[in-house]
Amino acid sequence: MASVYEIKAGFYTLTSLIEDETVSDEDILDAWNNQTDDLKDKFENCCKYIKNVESDIAGLKEEEARLKAKRKSLENSIERFKGLMHETMNAAGEKKLSCGTFTVSLQKNPESVVMDEQYIENIPEEYLKYKDPEIDRAKIKEHLKAGVNLEGIAHLEQSEGLRIR
């Protein structure tokens, strides 16, 4: 069976033969029908392949979600253990413990800024950061569809996609 590329090339060849008066219309039509049959067979196989891969992708996504949940559970478990160890060391009044091959110690973290209750009204302008503006494409699309002239700014284009049912 020919590849999709060969079938596509065959259609281009047949299209160019339509202008050739030495080839009968009946021959071109027969060749076109044969190419179409080959194309249908090839596309059926392509669709089967795509459906198989989509199924694999769905299974992989489920496995990713399962592994992510397991990882998160393990991370939470570690955080609970660390919190318990921290509280226990504080309760025991210990700052450093040698535990076999490990040493567990409490140390100060870098300072962090904690905002007071009503901070936003009292913040001077120099401490504020503003985001760069973002384009609202949905609003532009809505206006273009409503007939607003946005020449030189934006226009609507419609592409085409392949659907397999």
Side-chain angles (χ1 to χ4, degrees):
M1 179 179 280
S3 72
V4 175
Y5 300 107
E6 292 168 339
I7 294 170
K8 180 177 82 170
F11 275 113
Y12 283 132
T13 303
L14 286 173
T15 302
S16 67
L17 286 178
I18 291 173
E19 298 167 3
D20 186 352
E21 294 181 15
T22 62
V23 181
S24 74
D25 290 345
E26 187 177 307
D27 289 342
I28 292 175
L29 187 59
D30 286 344
W32 192 276
N33 288 336
N34 289 337
Q35 280 290 100
T36 302
D37 290 342
D38 286 350
L39 181 65
K40 287 177 184 177
D41 291 342
K42 182 55 83 171
F43 272 21
E44 180 179 8
N45 290 333
C46 289
C47 291
K48 288 176 182 177
Y49 170 77
I50 288 169
K51 291 298 181 184
N52 265 344
V53 172
E54 286 175 344
S55 173
D56 290 348
I57 290 169
L60 289 170
K61 283 182 179 181
E62 288 176 19
E63 185 66 6
E64 286 172 358
R66 187 188 68 77
L67 290 172
K68 182 179 179 182
K70 180 152 179 85
R71 177 186 51 85
K72 191 66 179 162
S73 173
L74 292 171
E75 288 172 347
N76 290 339
S77 174
I78 288 172
E79 288 306 311
R80 282 192 306 274
F81 270 114
K82 284 182 176 180
L84 178 61
M85 291 169 69
H86 189 181
E87 291 171 13
T88 304
M89 285 186 71
N90 278 332
E94 296 288 338
K95 294 289 182 197
K96 189 172 189 176
L97 285 174
S98 287
C99 314
T101 56
F102 299 97
T103 300
V104 180
S105 61
L106 297 179
Q107 67 181 35
K108 299 280 185 194
N109 290 331
E111 293 178 330
S112 62
V113 175
V114 178
M115 303 305 294
D116 295 332
E117 251 336 279
Q118 299 297 323
Y119 67 90
I120 198 70
E121 294 87 22
N122 303 327
I123 287 274
E125 188 75 22
E126 68 182 287
Y127 298 119
L128 297 177
K129 287 198 290 187
Y130 296 95
K131 286 180 110 179
D132 291 333
E134 292 182 30
I135 296 172
D136 186 350
R137 292 179 185 272
K139 190 170 194 171
I140 289 174
K141 182 179 181 180
E142 179 183 313
H143 284 190
L144 285 169
K145 282 187 166 193
V148 176
N149 183 7
L150 298 176
E151 191 172 324
I153 298 170
H155 64 279
L156 292 175
E157 285 185 4
Q158 188 167 25
S159 61
E160 185 172 88
L162 180 71
R163 303 289 187 270
I164 299 174
R165 293 184 201 146

